[in-house]
């Protein structure tokens, strides 16, 4: 009898790769989404999908690759908390609940860090919109008592693969604007203000004098899949787990590496006053490249996980080769 894996949010590039990988592992795959046999607007179908499953993985949530308008901000939060709550209620009600439930989270939960890396045990949580979304997401995930289900929050760094973040970075490099992105002055706005039941921060968009040295934490898509398989098979891992390569880069090094890969000798630097209108035109947010994310995989490394792609340049060259 084959094992059963439930994947919620399987339509994104991480979800699609995960479904393929679990199929190769011999799982019968059940998906939950906006359409299909198990739908978010049909709680009974979600309950049927979850009951009897061996493994549950939730990647559902509106993409953050958008402008943080009030409507988008509300949907980014709602889509994560509501889907996680629906799954938790289904697991609680299941006669035969999954033994392992992994829920997506984000390394953006941690503060802007230039002084030291953020780990699961000693990391400091950030403030403002993105951190508040992550905090509410994990609070919903870990709520209640599920004695028969091990829960792991996957705090993912930026995933390198055929996704929006990687594609944007390669695009900037190819256009000759792949120099460092430098924080600085811009008109005040409140798109990054806190959200949820206890909004954090002062409501203003942060500015940090990083001079393009803001840290860049990342993980190759292959290692996302590898880490999920590793966590699945390790009964001693539960709670938050950082999904990030140890070799954290910085923005200047990242952009120089991208230029080498695409063969672009020129990379014009971009200050915030240049980034803001450009990101408005691209319908995304400067936070992607300006926030210093310095996250390391303390728990994965302690448990013995070996990264397939531990260094940035080989990882990026692999991604570029697959897209060619």
């Amino acid at each position: 009898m084959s094992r059963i894996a439930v994947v919620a949010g399987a339509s994104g590039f991480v979800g699609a790769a995960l479904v393929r990988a679990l199929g190769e592992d011999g799982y019968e795959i059940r998906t939950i989404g906006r359409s299909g046999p198990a739908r978010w607007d049909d709680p009974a179908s979600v309950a049927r999908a979850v009951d009897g499953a061996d493994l549950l993985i939730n990647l559902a949530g509106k993409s953050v690759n958008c402008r943080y308008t009030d409507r988008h901000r509300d949907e980014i939060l709602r889509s994560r908390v509501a889907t996680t709550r629906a799954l938790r209620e289904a697991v609680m009600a299941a006669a035969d609940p999954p033994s392992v439930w992994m829920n997506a989270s984000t390394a953006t939960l941690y503060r802007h860090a230039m002084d030291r890396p953020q780990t699961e045990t000693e990391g400091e949580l950030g403030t403002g919109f993105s951190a508040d979304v992550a905090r509410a997401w994990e609070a919903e995930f870990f709520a209640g008592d599920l004695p028969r289900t091990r829960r792991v929050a996957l705090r993912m760094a930026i995933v390198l693969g055929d996704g929006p973040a990687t594609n944007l970075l390669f695009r900037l490099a190819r256009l000759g604007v792949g120099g460092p992105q430098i924080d600085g002055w811009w008109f005040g706005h409140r798109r990054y203000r806190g959200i949820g039941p206890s909004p954090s921060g002062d409501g203003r968009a942060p500015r940090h004098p990083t001079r393009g040295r803001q840290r860049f934490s990342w993980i190759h898509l292959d290692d996302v899949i590898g880490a999920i398989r590793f966590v699945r098979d390790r009964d001693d891992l539960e709670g938050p787990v950082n999904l990030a390569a140890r070799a954290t880069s910085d923005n200047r090094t990242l952009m120089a590496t991208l230029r080498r890969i695409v063969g672009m000798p020129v990379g014009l630097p971009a200050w915030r006053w240049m980034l803001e209108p450009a990101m408005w035109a691209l319908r995304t947010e400067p936070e992607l490249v300006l926030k210093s994310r310095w996250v390391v995989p303390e728990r994965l490394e302690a448990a013995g996980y070996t990264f397939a792609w531990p260094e940035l340049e080989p990882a990026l060259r692999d991604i570029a080769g697959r897209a060619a």
Side-chain angles (χ1 to χ4, degrees), residues 8-315:
S11 60
F13 85 103
V14 175
L18 180 61
V19 166
R20 288 193 298 271
L22 293 176
E24 292 168 0
D25 291 346
Y27 283 92
E28 173 192 332
I29 309 296
R30 300 174 183 172
T31 61
I32 303 173
R34 290 187 295 271
S35 61
R39 305 187 316 276
W40 296 118
D41 61 358
D42 181 3
S45 70
V46 174
R48 287 193 299 271
V50 168
D51 201 357
D54 300 278
L55 174 64
L56 170 61
I57 302 176
N58 178 30
L59 304 172
K62 174 179 170 56
S63 171
V64 296
N65 185 36
C66 63
R67 295 294 287 178
Y68 292 171
T69 63
D70 287 351
R71 181 170 65 87
H72 286 164
R73 281 165 42 91
D74 290 344
E75 183 58 16
I76 287 169
L77 176 63
R78 186 210 65 79
S79 63
R80 285 159 175 73
V81 173
T83 54
T84 301
R85 181 182 301 123
L87 291 173
R88 183 169 54 80
E89 291 172 349
V91 171
M92 291 179 69
D96 185 14
S99 57
V100 185
W101 175 12
M102 292 180 239
N103 212 69
S105 182
T106 174
T108 306
L109 174 73
Y110 298 111
R111 66 172 172 84
H112 176 101
M114 295 286 290
D115 55 336
R116 64 177 180 85
Q118 304 295 294
T119 67
E120 298 93 335
T121 55
E122 296 185 353
E124 299 171 83
L125 304 188
T127 59
F129 173 67
S130 296
D132 284 354
V133 168
R135 191 180 292 109
W137 199 3
E138 289 196 7
E140 186 63 50
F141 176 51
F142 288 118
D145 186 23
L146 301 177
R148 298 165 62 189
T149 301
R150 175 167 57 97
R151 286 178 280 186
V152 180
L154 305 173
R155 292 179 176 173
M156 291 189 224
I158 291 175
V159 179
L160 301 182
D162 187 20
T166 314
N167 292 339
L168 173 63
L169 292 170
F170 270 111
R171 183 179 180 187
L172 292 174
R174 290 190 182 98
L175 291 174
V177 289
Q181 285 96 35
I182 303 169
D183 206 347
W185 177 85
W186 185 247
F187 300 102
H189 66 76
R190 292 176 54 81
R191 297 193 307 276
Y192 302 162
R193 69 190 183 279
I195 196 171
S198 300
S200 65
D202 60 11
R204 295 178 295 179
R207 288 200 296 271
H208 302 281
T210 56
R211 300 182 182 275
R213 292 295 182 188
Q214 60 269 29
R215 307 294 286 191
F216 177 78
S217 285
W218 59 276
I219 184 169
H220 191 292
L221 177 60
D222 288 353
D223 280 312
V224 174
I225 303 302
I228 287 173
R229 284 170 164 156
F230 183 82
V231 169
R232 173 196 63 193
D233 298 336
R234 287 291 298 256
D235 292 340
D236 57 330
L237 283 174
E238 60 182 342
V241 173
N242 290 346
L243 265 58
R246 164 65 63 172
T248 305
S249 182
D250 65 22
N251 180 262
R252 285 181 179 271
T253 303
L254 165 69
M255 300 312 296
T257 303
L258 289 165
R259 294 196 304 272
R260 279 197 303 274
I261 292 171
V262 302
M264 173 57 70
V266 176
L268 298 177
W271 284 264
R272 188 174 200 124
W273 62 268
M274 301 163 67
L275 278 172
E276 287 282 357
M279 292 300 193
W280 175 85
L282 293 170
R283 309 313 298 161
T284 189
E285 288 288 344
E287 183 183 60
L288 171 69
V289 293
L290 292 179
K291 180 174 180 177
S292 186
R293 297 171 173 86
W294 192 356
V295 182
V296 295
E298 177 187 56
R299 298 194 67 199
L300 277 180
E301 288 185 330
Y305 179 73
T306 301
F307 281 81
W309 300 98
E311 301 295 333
L312 179 62
E313 184 158 350

